[in-house]
Amino acid sequence: MKHLVLLRHGQTAWNAEGRIQGQLDVEINETGHGQAAAVAPLLAALRPVVLWSSDSARARQTAAYVAKETDLEPTYDARLREYYLADWQGRTHADAVAADAALFERFRAGDFDAVPGGETTAEVSARMVEALTELLDSIEPGEVAIAVSHGAAIRDAVPVLLGWPVGERAALRGLANCGWVELEQAAAGEPLQLRAYNRVAAP
């Protein structure tokens, strides 16, 4: 088996206050630094051989903790970024509700295609899966790779990696900050298998 771990970044101030981030660069806050520091030794215990990360600040900062514990040099890849959410980026949830409550409810339910001018689920899944397939191809059977990315991007890439039908993809929910997913692949080209979803370090 090849093993792939997908880690969401630590908490930001915008996460805490309910502000939509998308691809805007927001750094992790004090809580996020604590989350990253707690999760890094747990992932290091898996003995990963390669570490990739979104090039967004919050992902890079989180990856730095994993890098310190593993002695791995992160590779930054823009394909692992969060959804681009157009004019919604920077809005508070309250602002979005005031503008169009029905549209925001679709968004909150996980339908990011609802955001006017934003990236679609198909677009984000395609770039994420492309990057993660390359990452998997870079390791040997029995090895572990880690990718640090973002909640919605991970959520919508995982079902594609698992080969799930489109209608079943809504079964997954967003990850907690510094929550991670564990996947494994028996042979090249095969759909991955889900070992764990939304694991978190003990408080």
Side-chain angles (χ1 to χ4, degrees), residues 3 7 9 17 21 24 34 41 70 74 76 82 98 115 117 121 124 126 138 142 149 159 164 166 189 192:
H3 303 274
L7 174 66
H9 61 80
E17 68 187 50
Q21 295 176 122
L24 295 181
T70 59
Y76 302 113
E82 185 58 285
V115 180
T121 300
V124 173
S138 75
S149 185
W164 287 3
V166 173
L192 278 69

Side-chain angles (χ1 to χ4, degrees), residues 6 79-83 112 124-125 127-128 132 149-159:
L6 308 178
R79 293 174 296 177
L80 299 176
R81 289 180 183 177
E82 185 58 285
Y83 275 76
F112 280 36
V124 173
S125 297
R127 63 171 166 80
M128 285 283 292
L132 295 172
S149 185
H150 304 264
I154 293 173
R155 178 201 65 201
D156 290 338
V158 166

Side-chain angles (χ1 to χ4, degrees), residues 57-69:
R58 55 194 185 273
R60 287 189 285 107
Q61 289 177 312
T62 303
Y65 284 90
V66 180
K68 181 179 178 181
E69 293 290 336

